Amino acid sequence: MIMKKTIKKFSLSSCFINFGLIFLLVFALFPIVWTIYTSFRVEMDIIKNPTGLNFSELNFNAYREVWTGTDFPVLIKNSLITSFLTMVMSLTLGTLAGYSLSRSDFRAKETVLLVYLLVRVIPGVLLLIPIFLLMQKFNLLDTHIGLALAYTTFTLPAAVWLMKGFFDGLPIDLENAARVDGCSRMGALWRVVLPLVLPGIAATATLVAIEAWNDVLFALMITSSTDARTWPVGMKLLIGEFQLPWGQLTATAVLSLIPVVIGFSFAGRRMVAGLTAGGVKE
Amino acid sequence: MRSTFADRRVNPLAKYFSILEGKAFAWILLIPSLTLVSFFIVYPLYRGIRLSFSEYKLLDGKNPEFNSLDNYFILFRDPDVLNATRITFTYTVIGLISQVLLGMAAALLLTKKSKYIWIARIAIMLPWFMPPVVTAYMWRFMLDAKVGIYTLLLSHIGIDIGGIGIWGDPDRALYGVLFVELWRSYPFFTLFILAGIQAIPVELRESTALDGANAFQHFRYITLPLLKPVLFVSTVLEAIKLINSPTLVLLMTEGGPADSTMVLPLLAFKKAYQAFDFGYSSTISVAVLVAISGFAIVYIRAVGFGREK
């Protein structure tokens, strides 16, 4: 009797839930859809009839202008290089540290984990100046590797915590079996453990790469020319004081999203799972 | 144990390789990352704190000069800092409350059992992964006084943001940025809360239903208390992000109009990036760091996290 009653109540509220879900989806996705639509419109049409729907004149003009008339291709290349370097460094160091923190038990472990977390509390602006001066000293200003090093310091803590979470989820018996069969400690990590956490590595790599891809604060300070300038800085510089080139702006935005979308579709679900696995524990 | 023994018998270099065992091995794996952290975090942190007690303007061409507490005396009497503190406080508090509420509502909706619910789960996460630059200019465009689609839609329901527009109005610019921050960041809470809800056994709902509890009572007395640790961790992380990272404000309003959106880290960034006053900029940042640490300690005490241990 009572169970029947609750089931009925649930189905009544499911109409409300569906309405809420639709609202959420529109709230989240409409801005993105509208931006994509605007990027295909004619500049005159955007200004004259900004909110109109006109599908007859859609074209790739804005994309052509961005690709041939601006520095954008160079900036994208810079961003790709920097993100890749950040990813490689964060993942190499983060995997080793995460494995160490997951498998061993020593007194300073808690402290080390806390230090990695505390890094996030320090205002980026405070570190920005000394890092700028440090890079100036070592001639790393306006270079890919300099920028990637700065990013790695910020992404490394996340990489360490996430990778530790993925290693924690793996039974230690597998490595012990490998060791009994004559694998060295490093060999067990390389041949047995790493292949098994590959999905976790992919998720962490995507997250790290996206963070480096998106940053604007450090890029603004550390880069000064097209040698290493990344696309977010280029986009900020594209903005004049008055008339904003909406067509080009939205086209740039859509182009910059492509790597993020590829990364996300590649490791999206895994990434979401990994993020929460690290956070909810304890 | 057995493997170590086997190694020694088979491998003549086993004595050398045994360094790679136990604690030493753990430290060897940690050294590369700790080195990097000390180079790019610990040393800069030390340097930044020292700069906060120094006069150092890059354009003067002089070396940093220690001036003890002078910068801090200026800081406490600086009307810009007072203004920025007030704005940072408003920004953080309203930002947190709005994000937690919407994030919670979204998480409750997304617990619905359905074959296709994962599509909705991923779709609402997308804003969180959008590059801030794209988010900033996209919303500047859609809330633009002349060409914005939201300006038009809102005017239909009697809300007028035309004229000087949201971004030109000192009374509304901050709330404009807060709205965009909400759009971008509430999925973070949804992600955490959703994971927290899924960790709660479904049978609990059945047993509270048998006891006659309605959905709201179940949420209030079962779900919410069980979500406490998750909410604690996520609000701390998000509060730190809101206070520390001026990215969205920098991109959308650059602190204007009339300094109405000038949050503390943006003020510090402008002192460094535009005035090249590295000393005073560091002073502001150190003050922010001290304030965050203070609030974090008070918050941890107040919520009583870790007392169970």
Side-chain angles (χ1 to χ4, degrees), chain A residues 4-263:
Chain A
K4 232 182 226 168
K5 206 174 144 196
T6 55
I7 288 163
K8 198 180 160 195
K9 206 183 268 171
F10 270 46
S11 63
L12 260 173
S13 63
S14 105
C15 175
F16 170 76
I17 290 176
N18 284 337
F19 181 78
L21 280 175
I22 290 167
F23 174 81
L24 269 185
L25 286 177
V26 172
F27 180 62
L29 298 181
F30 177 76
I32 302 172
V33 173
W34 188 256
T35 303
I36 296 171
Y37 164 65
T38 306
S39 71
F40 289 109
R41 293 176 73 185
V42 187
E43 192 72 36
M44 271 319 287
D45 192 33
I46 301 175
I47 294 163
K48 256 201 255 156
N49 184 15
T51 53
L53 284 176
N54 179 2
F55 294 105
S56 58
E57 283 184 78
L58 297 186
N59 60 63
F60 285 95
N61 284 351
Y63 288 89
R64 210 169 296 134
E65 278 163 37
V66 166
W67 201 253
T68 56
T70 67
D71 299 335
F72 196 66
V74 184
L75 304 187
I76 283 281
K77 195 194 82 195
N78 287 338
S79 273
L80 284 173
I81 296 173
T82 310
S83 298
F84 179 75
L85 288 174
T86 310
M87 193 173 84
V88 171
M89 287 192 285
S90 308
L91 257 289
T92 315
L93 302 177
T95 307
L96 294 178
Y99 183 68
S100 165
L101 291 167
S102 164
R103 286 298 186 252
S104 58
D105 197 25
F106 53 94
R107 228 178 302 156
K109 185 173 150 181
E110 301 272 306
T111 321
V112 172
L113 274 170
L114 202 66
V115 166
Y116 283 119
L117 198 66
L118 280 180
V119 167
R120 288 260 153 180
V121 185
I122 305 167
V125 186
L126 177 61
L127 299 178
L128 196 55
I129 295 167
I131 288 180
F132 175 85
L133 295 171
L134 200 70
M135 303 236 156
Q136 198 177 36
K137 209 177 198 171
F138 290 102
N139 281 325
L140 287 172
L141 283 181
D142 212 14
T143 61
H144 298 128
I145 188 77
L147 198 54
L149 276 170
Y151 289 154
T152 305
T153 54
F154 279 87
T155 53
L156 187 60
V160 170
W161 273 83
L162 284 173
M163 287 315 297
K164 179 187 175 293
F166 287 119
F167 286 127
D168 281 347
L170 211 67
I172 200 162
D173 301 342
L174 285 169
E175 291 150 74
N176 288 342
R179 303 287 320 275
V180 170
D181 289 346
C183 250
S184 70
R185 192 112 199 207
M186 215 51 196
L189 172 61
W190 184 250
R191 293 202 191 91
V192 179
V193 181
L194 283 189
L196 286 172
V197 289
L198 216 54
I201 292 180
T204 312
T206 312
L207 191 78
V208 165
I210 287 179
E211 206 164 323
W213 179 260
N214 288 351
D215 170 82
V216 57
L217 211 59
F218 274 70
L220 211 54
M221 194 85 178
I222 289 175
T223 65
S224 53
S225 74
T226 46
D227 283 354
R229 183 179 290 151
T230 54
W231 73 266
V233 180
M235 194 162 164
K236 190 175 167 3
L237 297 178
L238 189 72
I239 316 295
E241 275 291 319
F242 301 103
Q243 185 62 53
L244 298 179
W246 293 120
Q248 283 192 37
L249 261 177
T250 46
T252 314
V254 173
L255 284 175
S256 74
L257 280 180
I258 294 171
V260 181
V261 170
I262 293 173

Side-chain angles (χ1 to χ4, degrees), chain B residues 179-200:
Chain B
F179 177 76
V180 180
E181 187 73 63
L182 173 68
W183 180 81
R184 179 169 92 108
S185 300
Y186 85 90
F188 172 76
F189 284 101
T190 306
L191 192 69
F192 271 79
I193 296 171
L194 192 58
I197 289 177
Q198 285 175 335
I200 300 171

Side-chain angles (χ1 to χ4, degrees), chain B residues 64-86:
Chain B
E65 206 172 292
F66 185 74
N67 65 358
S68 79
L69 290 171
D70 285 8
N71 286 347
Y72 287 87
F73 285 131
I74 298 172
L75 178 91
F76 283 116
R77 268 178 271 145
D78 191 340
D80 289 348
V81 170
L82 187 72
N83 180 49
T85 310
R86 201 175 43 81

Side-chain angles (χ1 to χ4, degrees), chain B residues 34-87:
Chain B
L34 286 177
T35 314
L36 193 81
V37 165
S38 27
F39 245 93
F40 285 95
I41 304 278
V42 179
Y43 170 72
L45 182 63
Y46 159 74
R47 186 85 198 268
I49 292 173
R50 237 185 45 179
L51 275 176
S52 78
F53 294 102
S54 313
E55 164 142 0
Y56 186 35
K57 296 192 175 84
L58 197 67
L59 299 180
D60 288 357
K62 278 185 277 187
N63 283 332
E65 206 172 292
F66 185 74
N67 65 358
S68 79
L69 290 171
D70 285 8
N71 286 347
Y72 287 87
F73 285 131
I74 298 172
L75 178 91
F76 283 116
R77 268 178 271 145
D78 191 340
D80 289 348
V81 170
L82 187 72
N83 180 49
T85 310
R86 201 175 43 81
I87 294 167

